[in-house]
Amino acid sequence: MSPRRAGPPAWAEALLLLSLPSGPVGRSIAGDLHEEFTADLPVRGRTRAVLRYLRRALSVALHLSGPGDRAPHPGGSRPSRARQGAGVLGHDLRLAARRLLRRPGLTLTAVVSLGLGIGANTALFTLVNAILLRPLPYPEAGELVGVFRIDPEVTGPTPTPERLSGLFAVPYEVHRDWVEMSPVFAAAGGYATDAATVLEESGPASVPVALMTSGAFRALGVAPELGRRFLPADDEVGAPPVAVLSAGYWRSRFGGDPGVLGKVLDVDGLAYTVAGVMPQGFAFPEPAIRIWLSFPDGLKTNPVRNAGYMQVVARLAPGLGLEGAQREMDQVARRIGELHAEEAEHGIGLFPLKDLTLAGRSAGLLGLMGAVALVLLIACTNLAGLLLVRATERRREIGVRRALGAGRGHLVAQQLSECILLSLLGGLAGWALARVGMEPFLSLMPRGLPRLGEVRVDGGLLLVAFAFALLAGLLTALLPAWKAAATPITTVLGEGGRGLSGGRSTSRIQGALVVSQVALAFVLLAGAGLFVRSMVELLAVDPGFRGEGIVVASFDVPPDRRSAAEFAVFLEEMEARLRGFPGVLEVGAANQMPFSGDWSAPPVSVETVEGAREGIRHFAAVLPSYHATMGIPIVEGRALSPHDGPAAEPVVVVSETLARLMAPGGSPLGMRVRIETVGDSLWRTVVGVAGDVVYRLNYVPQGMFYVPVAQRPGPIRNWVVRCEGDPERLLAPIRRLAVEMNPGAAPELRVLEDAIRSSEAVVASRFTVILLGGLAALAVFLAVLGVYGVLAYLVQLRSREMGIRMAMGAERGRVLWTVLRQGMALAGLGIGVGGVLVLVLGQVVQAGLFGIPARDPLTLVGAALGLGAAVLVASYLPARRAASLDPVVVLRGE
């Protein structure tokens, strides 16, 4: 093994030799640096010796590349103005680099501050650009619209995209009328999302799918990578079921085999023929969709018009604007109302597809972008304060240079070059932080956020980082540069050798910068506190049931057991076998569950004290034991009973909200409810009132009713098991039982409490809290650093005054209090300004809060106390330094 090299690394020496002039001078300098490294090595260790060698080598290279070292131009010719300007700029940058190397503490502080601010802005801007700013990935995406039925009871008379997003508004029959009767669409079609069980080689798998019509594919205008999209013939009743695969599913399931066309997929027991493969990146209507299926005949032929299970996407005819198209669709709605009385009150609304895709999300992302921009502004303000101190230290040097003829513009340019160099270094640091942190950052994003797959960490990230860096440089440099260059020469030269002087205006500017930092930090800290309290309120919501100890198993009933008789036997057998597991207390079942994404809301007629009233109501078909298993209280009347069978009187249990609608101030018992769908038009008598149940944490309870499954047989997917002890231990045995009862099923099991904690509202709130909390902590750190810097500067500026006062008998405690008072005064003023900003911006963040007002006094007071305590700690350090000054030493220096 060769001995360890005693000299500098070979690569470091090679870089040095490339930057030195050739000949004896270069060799002499290299030799001197080599000797210095050899002397440093045993004292400092190899790592520190190498770093010092590189720093000295860089300083020498920058010094030798100055304009005074250039050879004269041949023939005495003068360079062009552009080349002269480039030479001056290069000289200024090299000079700035030498100055920054002499102040490593200031340089490191500035680069870290800017790097954190620029990195956060770069990462979030990349996200906002992909989601909000970039057009949708479809040809002529501006012509795409979503088409909705406007039901005043459900959507309101003038709904917003936030209200309509995710609402399955119309059945197949209504969609067909819109397509056939509308003159404004170049293409239009329907779609609906679902989870299907696909039989794969490894067994049944639950796969996200979308039902689509041929018109929806034509409207989107994206050609398949392989095969074809759906054709109009596939929309006809009796057409063979066909499927189109996503590029990801094609590669993972079939290995990218081009012979996949014509193969058959088993989806929920039906055979679908593969017709095509969509290109990589096509994701509609959700990124998770893996397969697109043609609609089944059962939905194509359903004559019910007042239900809803699909959305409609359309492409407007060329040259037709949204307003003109809306006027035409208003006429279509009137014609449909004349043909179908049940739709007389309905309208048709057109909304840009991009607005629907981003509904409810754009404001939150822009708000977070604003919060991140505040951090960058604080970092720039902090850096401006540091450079102001630096410019004050150089007042005499600048005065001498001005006295020797240097122009003010040139001096400002030199100051700008130093700041821009710092900003570019901060930009590099920010780009590195954004690149490293982008994946963890995206992993925190709420589920369902659209277009996350389009976020790219590429060369554009570097351009964005440097754009923010240049912006930060301009924001930071102008004030200290102009302040330094504008000082009168006589004032500077008249100060003699007394060090820092004439700093009263500078200290006022620094104070203003610190006040602005504290104010912006208070805004972020108060915002983070509001969202923390909002999340606490969200998690404290009473869902209306007891979620502890509950396991939910979701899987389909076997196709051969869906007849009424077989279905009843299946339910009885499944319930009995679940009750046989050790530790099981109760077993129930329902066709939909809270926090499961299921949502059934058929058209319903309810009797009220004022007569029958129609509307859309939340509905669940359940086993009689469901309420007891879930812990949903029966507040009036009775619960559903095993005696409520097919031959018994049709009954229903309603929620408290629906009970108040039916009988305000009275009892709804004995009143009736009727579901307005084909095959179920029975009036059902209300026998009980159950407590309201929250299906999502940010969901306002609506009218809901429960029907015994024996009186309305249908698909029951969700089995609810309450047990004692840890519910996790039941997951494996319940999964085995589900597969045994339906070998073609892909059961989904979850602990209900975990489902609540991982629900969309909680994940979104947690993401906001983490991001805002991190930004607030960073802002407070920068603000505290700014307070410390300005007080340290003031102590240095007033050291002579303080030394004289202590020499004349002033107590050290009084000096300590004087500095502390200055720091707390700056903090108090900053918190006051920040409080005004919070009050002004309160309405902007109110929409994102849950359960608390944006001007919550407890949060604002807590933020003020926390920030004040941090500033007090930052003020104490320079205050203690001031109190420990030795008057003799200070006066001797004067």
Side-chain angles (χ1 to χ4, degrees):
M1 184 174 179
S2 61
R4 184 180 179 88
R5 176 183 170 88
W11 58 268
E13 286 189 311
L15 287 176
L16 173 65
L17 291 173
L18 287 174
S19 62
L20 294 177
S22 58
V25 174
R27 289 194 296 272
S28 175
I29 293 173
D32 290 342
L33 290 175
H34 191 284
E35 290 180 6
E36 290 181 9
F37 176 84
T38 305
D40 282 342
L41 186 60
V43 178
R44 301 176 181 273
R46 185 168 184 82
T47 301
R48 294 180 64 189
V50 169
L51 292 176
R52 194 173 186 213
Y53 175 86
L54 291 174
R55 179 182 169 187
R56 289 176 175 176
L58 179 60
S59 298
V60 170
L62 289 169
H63 176 74
L64 292 178
S65 58
D69 299 307
R70 295 191 186 97
H73 291 272
S77 61
R78 295 177 59 84
S80 66
R81 186 179 298 274
R83 293 182 62 187
Q84 283 182 331
V88 171
L89 176 61
H91 175 258
D92 288 344
L93 289 175
R94 287 188 293 271
L95 187 62
R98 289 201 295 271
R99 287 172 179 157
L100 295 178
L101 285 172
R102 295 191 194 109
R103 297 293 301 270
L106 181 144
T107 303
L108 183 61
T109 302
V111 170
V112 170
S113 299
L114 286 176
L116 291 171
I118 291 172
N121 276 271
T122 301
L124 198 58
F125 179 81
T126 303
L127 180 70
V128 169
N129 179 56
I131 295 176
L132 297 182
L133 306 181
R134 193 180 299 164
L136 294 176
Y138 311 112
E140 305 296 332
E143 298 176 355
L144 292 173
V145 296
V147 191
F148 288 88
R149 178 167 58 189
I150 307 302
D151 183 342
E153 175 129 12
V154 179
T155 64
T158 55
T160 62
E162 289 79 8
R163 176 75 172 169
L164 292 171
S165 181
L167 182 66
F168 282 15
V170 296
Y172 201 91
E173 192 73 18
V174 172
H175 138 266
R176 186 155 34 210
D177 284 349
W178 288 356
V179 173
E180 293 176 356
M181 299 175 66
S182 172
V184 302
F185 300 145
Y191 61 92
T193 59
D194 198 1
T197 300
V198 180
L199 188 59
E200 300 181 347
E201 292 179 358
S202 58
S206 180
V207 178
V209 301
L211 304 177
M212 289 270 279
T213 68
S214 62
F217 270 118
R218 289 199 310 276
L220 296 173
V222 178
E225 179 177 335
L226 192 68
R228 65 173 179 84
R229 304 172 301 197
F230 295 160
L231 302 176
D234 299 320
D235 300 331
E236 299 296 328
V237 176
V242 291
V244 172
L245 310 181
S246 69
Y249 191 76
W250 173 49
R251 292 188 175 91
S252 63
R253 170 79 187 276
F254 298 98
D257 179 14
V260 70
L261 301 181
K263 290 189 175 181
V264 176
L265 291 179
D266 185 316
V267 182
D268 287 338
L270 298 177
Y272 285 80
T273 302
V274 176
V277 177
M278 295 305 290
Q280 186 70 37
F282 179 82
F284 183 86
E286 298 173 0
I289 298 301
R290 310 278 278 167
I291 306 173
W292 292 270
L293 307 172
S294 57
F295 273 88
D297 285 347
L299 294 180
K300 295 176 185 177
T301 57
N302 189 341
V304 178
R305 301 184 62 88
N306 52 4
Y309 48 82
M310 67 187 296
Q311 290 180 284
V312 175
V313 62
R315 180 176 293 275
L316 297 180
L320 185 63
L322 187 63
E323 292 183 2
Q326 183 62 66
R327 288 193 295 269
E328 292 289 342
M329 292 307 293
D330 290 341
Q331 297 181 15
V332 171
R334 283 193 289 270
R335 290 201 299 271
I336 292 177
E338 293 171 357
L339 295 173
H340 306 278
E342 64 270 33
E343 294 193 58
E345 301 296 325
H346 297 160
I348 302 174
L350 303 180
F351 298 87
L353 185 62
K354 187 172 183 179
D355 292 352
L356 293 166
T357 303
L358 303 174
R361 300 180 175 99
S362 56
L365 284 175
L366 291 177
L368 290 176
M369 189 71 195
V372 175
L374 288 184
V375 172
L376 181 58
L377 189 56
I378 293 173
C380 291
T381 307
N382 201 350
L383 180 56
L386 291 173
L387 292 178
L388 200 58
V389 172
R390 174 78 173 130
T392 304
E393 292 174 349
R394 297 179 57 212
R395 280 160 51 88
R396 183 168 178 79
E397 173 202 336
I398 293 173
V400 170
R401 294 180 65 188
R402 286 192 60 197
L404 293 175
R408 178 179 296 180
H410 181 63
L411 293 176
V412 170
Q414 286 188 339
Q415 298 286 320
L416 287 175
S417 65
E418 185 172 332
C419 189
I420 288 175
L421 186 57
L422 275 175
S423 299
L424 293 178
L425 291 174
L428 275 175
W431 169 76
L433 286 173
R435 187 174 180 84
V436 171
M438 184 63 78
E439 290 300 325
F441 173 65
L442 292 178
S443 68
L444 294 174
M445 297 300 294
R447 296 188 308 272
L449 194 65
R451 310 183 69 185
L452 274 183
E454 298 178 37
V455 178
R456 296 287 182 267
V457 181
D458 51 20
L461 195 70
L462 182 62
L463 294 178
V464 172
F466 276 98
F468 279 120
L470 291 176
L471 175 64
L474 293 176
L475 287 175
T476 305
L478 293 177
L479 177 62
W482 184 257
K483 180 79 173 79
T487 305
I489 299 174
T490 55
T491 300
V492 176
L493 298 182
E495 292 171 357
R498 292 177 295 177
L500 297 176
S501 179
R504 187 163 297 179
S505 62
T506 299
S507 62
R508 284 198 297 266
I509 295 173
Q510 276 197 305
L513 292 175
V514 169
V515 167
S516 64
Q517 288 180 49
V518 173
L520 296 177
F522 179 77
V523 171
L524 285 175
L525 189 60
L530 286 171
F531 278 96
V532 167
R533 288 211 58 208
S534 175
M535 184 174 180
V536 171
E537 293 291 328
L538 190 67
L539 292 173
V541 168
D542 181 7
F545 57 85
R546 293 184 292 112
E548 62 274 8
I550 288 184
V551 174
V552 180
S554 302
F555 64 97
D556 292 321
V557 177
D560 59 346
R561 307 194 69 174
R562 293 179 183 176
S563 65
E566 286 292 330
F567 181 60
V569 174
F570 174 82
L571 293 179
E572 184 177 350
E573 182 181 354
M574 186 71 185
E575 182 178 4
R577 296 190 64 175
L578 287 172
R579 288 185 184 277
F581 286 127
V584 171
L585 302 175
E586 289 286 351
V587 174
N591 66 338
Q592 54 186 322
M593 283 285 301
F595 300 96
S596 66
D598 297 331
W599 192 261
S600 178
V604 174
S605 293
V606 297
E607 285 186 340
T608 70
V609 293
E610 299 174 352
R613 180 171 177 176
E614 295 183 358
I616 304 295
R617 306 294 168 202
H618 197 181
F619 149 80
V622 300
L623 283 181
S625 55
Y626 174 77
H627 291 93
T629 305
M630 290 288 291
I632 301 172
I634 301 298
V635 298
E636 186 179 359
R638 68 172 177 87
L640 298 176
S641 164
H643 301 294
D644 297 322
E649 177 189 11
V651 295
V652 68
V653 169
V654 298
S655 68
E656 289 182 282
T657 298
L658 186 54
R660 287 191 294 269
L661 175 69
M662 299 174 71
S667 173
L669 299 182
M671 292 183 175
R672 298 182 300 169
V673 175
R674 181 171 68 183
I675 303 175
E676 302 288 350
T677 60
V678 173
D680 189 352
S681 57
L682 298 174
W683 282 101
R684 303 173 185 274
T685 303
V686 177
V687 296
V689 178
D692 284 325
V693 172
V694 174
Y695 266 60
R696 295 189 299 266
L697 284 180
N698 54 356
Y699 159 75
V700 178
Q702 297 179 354
M704 180 172 181
F705 62 98
Y706 303 89
V707 174
V709 68
Q711 294 185 351
R712 195 176 194 272
I716 293 287
R717 296 195 74 249
N718 304 297
W719 287 88
V720 189
V721 180
R722 179 181 293 279
C723 67
E724 57 183 2
D726 184 10
E728 295 276 352
R729 63 184 176 80
L730 286 178
L731 294 179
I734 292 177
R735 183 182 301 277
R736 288 194 295 269
L737 175 60
V739 173
E740 181 184 341
M741 296 293 289
N742 183 4
E748 301 175 19
L749 282 87
R750 59 193 180 278
V751 176
L752 189 53
E753 284 187 305
D754 293 343
I756 296 174
R757 285 192 291 266
S758 61
S759 63
E760 182 178 351
V762 174
V763 172
S765 182
R766 186 184 300 123
F767 167 75
T768 304
V769 166
I770 291 174
L771 184 59
L772 268 183
L775 293 176
L778 179 58
V780 170
F781 169 75
L782 293 175
V784 165
L785 193 63
V787 171
Y788 171 80
V790 73
L791 291 181
Y793 166 72
L794 290 174
V795 168
Q796 186 178 6
L797 183 69
R798 299 178 58 190
S799 59
R800 181 172 180 270
E801 171 199 339
M802 292 177 180
I804 294 174
R805 292 175 62 187
M806 285 190 288
M808 296 179 66
E811 297 179 357
R812 295 186 183 276
R814 188 173 183 83
V815 173
L816 179 74
W817 170 244
T818 299
V819 179
L820 283 178
R821 186 176 57 193
Q822 286 180 310
M824 296 313 296
L826 292 174
L829 186 55
I831 290 173
V833 174
V836 173
L837 291 175
V838 170
L839 294 178
V840 170
L841 298 174
Q843 291 303 115
V844 177
V845 301
Q846 185 62 66
L849 299 176
F850 180 87
I852 62 167
R855 298 170 181 175
D856 177 51
L858 181 62
T859 303
L860 298 184
V861 170
L865 292 176
L867 185 56
V871 172
L872 180 62
V873 173
S875 304
Y876 177 74
L877 298 177
R880 189 179 64 175
R881 183 186 305 167
S884 62
L885 288 173
D886 186 341
V888 176
V889 174
V890 173
L891 296 179
R892 184 182 298 145
E894 293 294 325

